[in-house]
Amino acid sequence: DAKTTQPPSMDCAEGRAANLPCNHSTISGNEYVYWYRQIHSQGPQYIIHGLKNNETNEMASLIITEDRKSSTLILPHATLRDTAVYYCIVRVAYNAGNMLTFGGGTRLMVKP
Amino acid sequence: GAVVSQHPSRVICKSGTSVKIECRSLDFQATTMFWYRQFPKQSLMLMATSNEGSKATYEQGVEKDKFLINHASLTLSTLTVTSAHPEDSSFYICSAAGGGTGELFFGEGSRLTVL
């Protein structure tokens, strides 16, 4: 699986949009971009994933550049409960046998 | 989404004893489950891949005789830390693919403290 690069930490004001970048310049054509987050002392929580089109769900939006070498996770109105470590992972298409390889992630701190 | 449950969520044991952690897929069948370990302020590290009805596949550096994995049914995998020592104290997390999409869902984690 391709390696990803994320900033180690970011701050965001409560109520503002949080934009978390991820570089994955060696991504292959059949690899998806996944985002998970981990709140302190809990298991990771799935947020969103995409292949090449931008995606949106009730939690966040995922913007993938046209060359697919980078992406941005957007939390439109960050709350204090969004404070967590956010992991950007690239992984081949849906396959029950494929694990997720976690990098360092970005520690997002949402401040009042 | 699909639900994966771990038990116990916290366990404290004495050095030299064995501890079993259960991982259950509650509303789907999982032929494959993954066990991760996470030390404080570090990322998740894959320990092993558990396949129903067959032997687990361990990552390099993970002792298979110390971390026994059993995946006897499509809804249950267990991780047994044998002869636990303080350095085995960690957060253990399981993951399973389910929902018919191969998407991975994670358990709540089990925090092991070895005294």
Side-chain angles (χ1 to χ4, degrees):
Chain A
D1 289 342
K3 181 179 178 181
T4 62
T5 304
Q6 299 177 252
S9 64
M10 291 182 63
D11 289 345
C12 177
E14 187 179 19
R16 305 297 292 268
N19 298 292
L20 293 90
C22 179
N23 287 321
H24 31 79
S25 59
T26 59
I27 191 170
S28 299
N30 65 344
E31 288 181 316
Y32 286 71
V33 180
Y34 285 79
W35 283 84
Y36 281 76
R37 73 179 182 184
Q38 186 179 25
I39 296 171
H40 183 63
S41 294
Q42 296 183 22
Q45 176 190 21
Y46 166 82
I47 301 174
I48 199 167
H49 74 279
L51 183 61
K52 54 182 179 181
N53 296 324
N54 298 337
E55 302 288 345
T56 296
N57 62 21
E58 64 278 4
M59 290 184 67
S61 294
L62 174 60
I63 308 299
I64 302 174
T65 58
E66 191 169 343
D67 62 7
R68 302 208 324 124
K69 293 185 177 182
S70 65
S71 61
T72 301
L73 178 74
I74 301 173
L75 307 179
H77 305 286
T79 70
L80 299 179
R81 288 178 294 180
D82 292 322
T83 292
V85 178
Y86 288 76
Y87 295 99
C88 169
I89 302 166
V90 293
R91 172 179 175 246
V92 295
Y94 292 136
N95 185 324
N98 288 338
M99 74 291 191
L100 290 169
T101 301
F102 289 83
T106 295
R107 187 173 297 275
L108 175 67
M109 180 72 71
V110 181
K111 298 183 176 180
Chain B
V3 178
V4 175
S5 179
Q6 280 184 245
H7 178 80
S9 58
R10 291 177 180 273
V11 57
I12 300 173
C13 71
K14 293 182 179 181
S15 184
T17 61
S18 295
V19 174
K20 180 185 286 188
I21 300 170
E22 294 184 347
C23 178
R24 295 182 184 273
S25 55
L26 297 186
D27 52 358
F28 65 98
Q29 295 182 329
T31 56
T32 303
M33 291 184 175
F34 304 98
W35 286 96
Y36 291 83
R37 179 169 55 183
Q38 185 176 34
F39 292 109
K41 297 190 182 302
Q42 294 186 22
S43 189
L44 286 79
M45 295 297 296
L46 180 68
M47 297 176 66
T49 301
S50 170
N51 298 296
E52 188 268 335
S54 64
K55 292 183 178 180
T57 303
Y58 291 82
E59 295 299 300
Q60 189 173 7
V62 178
E63 300 176 57
K64 63 179 181 180
D65 295 329
K66 181 169 184 61
F67 299 99
L68 301 180
I69 292 174
N70 184 283
H71 193 159
S73 79
L74 288 171
T75 59
L76 174 64
S77 175
T78 60
L79 169 68
T80 301
V81 183
T82 63
S83 186
H85 291 284
E87 56 266 30
D88 298 322
S89 298
S90 188
F91 194 50
Y92 292 88
I93 307 168
C94 72
S95 175
T101 63
E103 191 52 65
L104 287 181
F105 299 92
F106 288 82
E108 312 95 323
S110 300
R111 185 165 301 283
L112 170 63
T113 302
V114 184
L115 302 177

